[in-house]
Every structure is written in structure tokens, then in C-alpha cells.
Amino acid sequence: MVLISIAITDDVDEDAAITESMVRRYCDEHPAGDTRIILTRFADGMALLRFYDDAERKPFDLIFLDVEMPGIDGLETARRLRELDTRTVIVFTTKMAQYATIGYDVDAVGYLVKPLEYPGFALKMRKALNIIATRTGTTIAIKSDDHMHFLDSHEIRYVEVTGHNVLYHTDKGVWRDWGSLKATAEQLGGHDFVASSRYCLVNLAWVDAFEADTVIVDGERLAVSRSRKKPLMQALNAYYSRA
């Protein structure tokens, strides 16, 4: 089952309820196989940002973010959010049409003017879901320091194994689990992870360059074994042809 998590951040209960009803209507009218939508409501921007304070929580796929809110407004919320999550799709909702040209610096896909009308909402929803589909990864559950952690495959730069320890290198640090590279490769299969050696898998999305016997992943140099060089180069070419 594919889970798509959607957050509605709006301080007005009636407006939030309307947005939720339109999300549910769209999903009823456009069923997408084995896909389940999970909706979460936040009453203001700070509540949304506090959700992201917990590193074990999976980021949202899509956020409908009201611009005019007490405390920090939607634009400032989005700017702070982008420091924590660069992948979530943001759609602004606003009562003031002059905000139409604002928001591109936080990579928002657009805005909807209140009161929301379903035809325009449906177009924006379709666009957002199409973007999410191109970013679909998988979630890795690991037990580290006696706690369960959930890592989005997009966040993992590379994976290496030392003995029976599997190390997941992310922008938030290195997470350690017990296992094998083979089992990890099977979990990450189909999500653009390719072996650079017997002991390392690299995420093609984070490869900066390929130089001789070295691949540079998010600024870090990793050795490439002779037998893995050609398959890795072919995988990189195929990845960038697709992108």
C-alpha cells in the first residue's frame, strides 16, 4: 500500500474543513489503486513546525498552507519548513490574490484563492500528486540505540557495511543497524541505489561526480571497485536520462 500524507495548516476551522472535503472528494473521484491518504490538521504554522521537531516522524508529502495566520504567517512557516524538509509539496491557500506571485522562493507549486472552488482545487491537486509520484521512495525502519527510526530513502546519501553493522549516511547523521548489504539492497531495490563496491550502496540522486575510481556523493569521496565501475556509470547515465 502506498501512503500519501497530507497536512492542512489553517487557523480557521471552516476553511480547513472545506480543504479536507475537497481532498476527500478528489480522492473519491480519482481512485489510485492501492493508495491511502492520511490527513492531519494543524491550527497554525508553529504547530506544523513542532511536528517536524521529532526526527522519527516521516515528513508530509503535501501541505496546504494558509498564508494569513496569527503568529508566524504561512510564508514564514514555509521558509522555516524548507530548512527541515526540501521535498514536501507546498500549496498556499489565501484570501488575498496579491500573494499569487509570492512563494516561489520556497518552491511552492502554486496557490489557491479562498473561498476555494473545486475545479481549480482539482487541477492543483492533480499537479501536486503528479510531483509526489515522481518523488516516491520507500521508508526504512531501523533499530538504533534501542529506538526505532524511520528513514526516507530520499534522505539516505549512501549505505555502507562494516562487519554486520549497516551504516545509513544522511544529512541528519549516521544511523546504525544490524544486517547485511544484500538485505539492504533488496529493501532499496527500485529506488536508485547502486553498489559502488562490495561494501557500499550510493543513492544516485546525491552523486555529484564520478572521477576515475571515485564517486563523489554529497561532497564525500567514496571508492569504486573495478567490477562496479561500469554498472555504476551505466546506472548514472540512465538516471540522468530519466531526470
Side-chain angles (χ1 to χ4, degrees):
M1 176 178 289
V2 177
L3 299 178
I4 297 178
S5 57
I6 299 176
I8 298 171
T9 304
D10 199 315
D11 63 305
V12 180
D13 292 342
E14 182 180 356
D15 289 350
I18 290 172
T19 303
E20 178 177 344
S21 69
M22 289 193 178
V23 170
R24 296 193 183 282
R25 176 180 170 182
Y26 183 91
C27 293
D28 289 342
E29 293 181 358
H30 302 83
D34 196 19
T35 298
R36 179 187 171 197
I37 300 291
I38 300 174
L39 284 168
T40 305
R41 160 83 189 287
F42 296 98
D44 55 54
M46 287 306 300
L48 172 65
L49 294 173
R50 282 195 294 271
F51 176 93
Y52 275 82
D53 286 340
D54 188 341
E56 295 186 20
R57 286 174 168 163
K58 188 176 184 296
F60 291 103
D61 297 302
L62 169 61
I63 298 175
F64 289 98
L65 185 57
D66 186 29
V67 173
E68 303 89 19
M69 293 187 293
I72 60 171
D73 64 18
L75 299 174
E76 179 59 25
T77 299
R79 293 187 183 102
R80 297 189 191 184
L81 178 65
R82 280 296 182 230
E83 297 176 0
L84 306 169
D85 181 359
T86 60
R87 298 190 62 82
T88 188
V89 177
I90 296 175
V91 176
F92 285 114
T93 59
T94 176
K95 292 180 179 178
M96 303 175 71
Q98 61 261 41
Y99 284 114
T101 59
I102 300 175
Y104 294 104
D105 58 334
V106 292
D107 194 28
V109 301
Y111 74 102
L112 292 165
V113 176
K114 298 178 182 179
L116 302 187
E117 296 183 356
Y118 183 72
F121 178 90
L123 289 173
K124 199 67 67 181
M125 185 74 174
R126 182 174 65 183
K127 179 179 179 180
L129 292 179
N130 285 341
I131 293 172
I132 291 168
T134 67
R135 298 177 178 178
T136 299
T138 189
T139 300
I140 301 292
I142 67 171
K143 188 173 183 179
S144 181
D145 299 325
D146 295 323
H147 291 86
M148 290 302 298
H149 297 277
F150 300 93
L151 302 180
D152 189 319
S153 60
H154 295 298
E155 299 174 352
I156 302 170
R157 274 52 171 171
Y158 66 95
V159 185
E160 64 176 334
V161 63
T162 58
H164 291 293
N165 290 312
V166 181
L167 306 178
Y168 296 85
H169 293 258
T170 75
D171 63 336
K172 298 176 182 177
V174 181
W175 303 88
R176 183 189 304 269
D177 196 9
W178 185 91
S180 68
L181 198 66
K182 180 180 178 181
T184 303
E186 291 175 354
Q187 279 187 292
L188 293 170
H191 298 287
D192 297 315
F193 282 80
V194 177
S196 59
S197 71
R198 291 176 55 194
Y199 309 103
C200 187
L201 293 171
V202 299
N203 186 342
L204 299 179
W206 290 100
V207 172
D208 299 322
F210 197 153
E211 300 175 356
D213 297 326
T214 302
V215 62
I216 303 174
V217 180
D218 196 27
E220 190 169 350
R221 292 180 178 272
L222 304 173
V224 179
S225 65
R226 182 178 300 177
S227 63
R228 304 292 184 179
K229 185 184 296 186
K230 184 176 180 180
L232 178 56
M233 179 61 75
Q234 290 173 335
L236 276 170
N237 288 336
Y239 176 81
Y240 284 109
S241 295
R242 235 175 39 235

